[in-house]
């Protein structure tokens, strides 16, 4: 998931063009991350040192790790650690950008540092993010401002991101939409969450264009859903229902008992959210974009 | 296997279709469908299925109410709850009302088949 944010960051800061980013992302699945990128990522070597080792490799028949150890940049233990480390997607993206000649080691390294600085991340936070910690990533990217400090919202959105990755698409990015943005949606699937005695309801909803709903339905159902109708509604509705059910189990484990009403699908124009306070999150996947709308769940506690 | 009647009750067409496809592939043919608790009760009265796979959150009549009514008029019908809300509370409620088992969504075909085989071998109290 960090690869999506990092790619978007590179694009927004003008560090890569949209075309080149697309090329690199397409190539990334086939890319094997090499030791140099791993060493830069974790801060064991600088970009200059990596370049130097690569230069040396053109003159002698030795592995990257051997030369790097000989030059005293890393220890044998660090090489073993890097070789067995988890190769997260942003590294594959970085390697792919480097392999395609779009970026060099220096620019990749400074882009990582720039991302870290702009998001005011500590070494520890950044390390969690690059190791694939979704909660740390969403904390830095999304769960700020009005969303900060609301445990139910934070838990709900963290879980939603994980369920998107689990059931829909590993390549997603979540962004907060400004409050009061009135996007005309074609379709909305909604499911109210209730407190234990069912005296209070707070809406959760997925909203989007018809094309997005059809894509979402096709991906979740595992078969083509080509037109609006019961299957589209059932698939998108069941995804929300499944997510909400898992959220209820997690909340119950934390001592908060909640309940669910059945989900329903309405035309965008018929959707009403009575509550002033709500989070509107844009979910950007490789094949669809839609909004997650969640009223203030902390009020159900 | 042919005679083993299964009622699939879920308000989601997708869930019913997935379960139906999977069970058909495993050779189960006597399959019925209901999209809410009221329909499920009506089909149970008419068809006397061996097993009901029952969702909980549904319009009109939810799965727990339907479970209670079905067990009330025919306690030999096995009812297995299949719900996304696998909380301790829902589980206890379902057991109290006579549910034979409880599966949390998403469910695998293997889990459903294991339950069917258990019932067929007479160990349905699961």
């Amino acid at each position: 998931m960090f690869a999506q944010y990092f790619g978007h960051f590179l694009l927004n800061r003008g560090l890569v063009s949209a075309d080149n980013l697309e090329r690199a992302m397409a190539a990334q699945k086939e890319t094997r991350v090499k030791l140099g990128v791993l060493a830069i990522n974790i801060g064991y070597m600088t970009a200059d040192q990596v370049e130097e080792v690569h230069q040396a490799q053109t003159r002698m028949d030795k592995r990257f790790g051997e030369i790097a150890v000989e030059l005293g940049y890393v220890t044998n233990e660090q090489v073993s650690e890097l070789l067995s480390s988890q190769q997260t997607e942003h590294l594959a993206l970085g390697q792919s950008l480097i392999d395609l000649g779009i970026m060099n080691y220096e620019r990749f390294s400074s882009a990582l540092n720039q991302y870290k600085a702009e998001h005011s991340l500590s070494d520890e936070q950044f390390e969690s993010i690059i190791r694939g910690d979704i909660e740390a990533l969403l904390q830095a990217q999304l769960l700020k401002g009005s969303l900060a400090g609301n445990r139910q919202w934070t838990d709900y959105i963290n879980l939603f991101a994980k369920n998107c990755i689990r059931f829909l698409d590993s390549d997603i990015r979540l962004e907060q939409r400004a409050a009061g943005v009135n996007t005309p949606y074609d379709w909305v699937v909604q499911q109210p969450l209730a407190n234990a005695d069912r005296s209070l309801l707070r809406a959760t909803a997925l909203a989007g264009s018809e094309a997005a709903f059809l894509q979402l339905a096709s991906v979740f159902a595992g078969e083509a859903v080509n037109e609006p109708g019961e299957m589209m509604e059932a698939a998108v509705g069941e995804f929300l229902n499944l997510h909400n059910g898992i959220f209820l189990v997690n909340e119950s484990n934390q001592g908060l008992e909640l309940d669910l009403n059945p989900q329903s699908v309405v035309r965008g124009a018929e959707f009403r959210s009575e509550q002033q306070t709500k989070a509107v999150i844009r979910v950007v996947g490789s094949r669809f974009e839609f909004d997650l709308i969640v009223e203030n769940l902390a009020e159900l506690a | 296997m042919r005679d083993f009647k299964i009622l699939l009750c879920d308000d989601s067409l997708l869930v019913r279709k997935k379960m139906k496809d999977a069970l058909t592939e495993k050779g189960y043919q006597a399959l019925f469908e209901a999209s809410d608790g009221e329909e499920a009760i009506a089909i149970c009265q008419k068809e006397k299925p061996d097993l009901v796979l029952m969702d909980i959150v549904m319009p009109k009549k939810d799965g727990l109410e339907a479970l209670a009514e079905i067990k009330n008029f025919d306690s030999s019908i096995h009812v297995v709850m299949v719900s996304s809300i696998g909380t301790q509370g829902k589980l206890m409620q379902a057991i109290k009302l006579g549910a034979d088992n409880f599966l949390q969504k998403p469910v695998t075909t293997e889990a459903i088949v294991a339950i069917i085989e258990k019932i067929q071998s007479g160990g349905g109290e699961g």
Side-chain angles (χ1 to χ4, degrees), chain A residues 108-132:
Chain A
F108 173 64
S109 170
S110 68
L112 280 176
N113 286 328
Q114 194 181 336
Y115 178 91
K116 184 181 159 194
E118 282 190 25
H119 292 87
S120 315
L121 299 170
S122 67
D123 288 346
E124 214 175 21
Q125 287 169 318
F126 189 59
E127 207 176 302
S128 299
I129 289 172
I130 62 177
R131 285 189 194 281

Side-chain angles (χ1 to χ4, degrees), chain A residues 36-242:
Chain A
V37 165
L38 290 169
I40 287 175
N41 180 59
I42 204 130
Y44 286 167
M45 289 172 77
T46 66
D48 285 346
Q49 291 170 340
V50 171
E51 288 289 2
E52 189 187 340
V53 174
H54 273 303
Q55 285 302 317
Q57 267 190 301
T58 61
R59 298 189 303 271
M60 54 181 114
D61 184 25
K62 281 187 179 176
R63 288 169 183 274
F64 182 97
E66 284 177 78
I67 301 173
V69 172
E70 279 172 19
L71 290 171
Y73 295 147
V74 283
T75 63
N76 275 315
E77 289 70 33
Q78 286 174 326
V79 171
S80 314
E81 183 203 320
L82 290 175
L83 288 173
S84 62
S85 66
Q86 197 196 350
Q87 306 207 344
T88 51
E89 280 184 3
H90 82 283
L91 292 181
L93 174 63
Q95 186 74 58
S96 164
L97 287 164
I98 290 165
D99 290 350
L100 291 168
I102 298 166
M103 285 186 117
N104 58 19
Y105 287 101
E106 178 60 44
R107 288 182 63 198
F108 173 64
S109 170
S110 68
L112 280 176
N113 286 328
Q114 194 181 336
Y115 178 91
K116 184 181 159 194
E118 282 190 25
H119 292 87
S120 315
L121 299 170
S122 67
D123 288 346
E124 214 175 21
Q125 287 169 318
F126 189 59
E127 207 176 302
S128 299
I129 289 172
I130 62 177
R131 285 189 194 281
D133 183 332
I134 288 172
E135 292 182 16
L137 176 61
L138 291 179
Q139 186 76 40
Q141 288 281 166
L142 181 69
L143 300 170
K144 301 181 285 195
S146 61
L147 293 177
N150 181 321
R151 184 188 66 75
Q152 282 78 10
W153 260 350
T154 305
D155 288 356
Y156 191 91
I157 293 163
N158 275 324
L159 179 68
F160 189 78
K162 290 175 190 170
N163 282 333
C164 282
I165 292 170
R166 180 175 171 196
F167 297 111
L168 300 178
D169 187 349
S170 60
D171 300 341
I172 58 147
R173 196 175 78 233
L174 274 59
E175 289 167 0
Q176 189 175 2
R177 307 206 71 186
V181 172
N182 234 340
T183 317
Y185 299 119
D186 291 335
W187 293 101
V188 178
V189 52
Q190 53 188 352
Q191 183 167 45
L193 264 60
N195 61 350
D197 66 10
R198 307 187 64 87
S199 59
L200 218 56
L201 294 176
R202 288 293 175 265
T204 68
L206 305 181
S209 67
E210 188 158 294
F213 262 49
L214 289 172
Q215 270 295 332
L216 188 57
S218 300
V219 174
F220 184 69
E223 59 187 75
V225 179
N226 297 318
E227 49 193 46
E230 202 183 345
M231 187 50 102
M232 179 190 86
E233 297 180 13
V236 182
E238 186 58 19
F239 172 61
L240 180 61
N241 178 53
L242 188 58

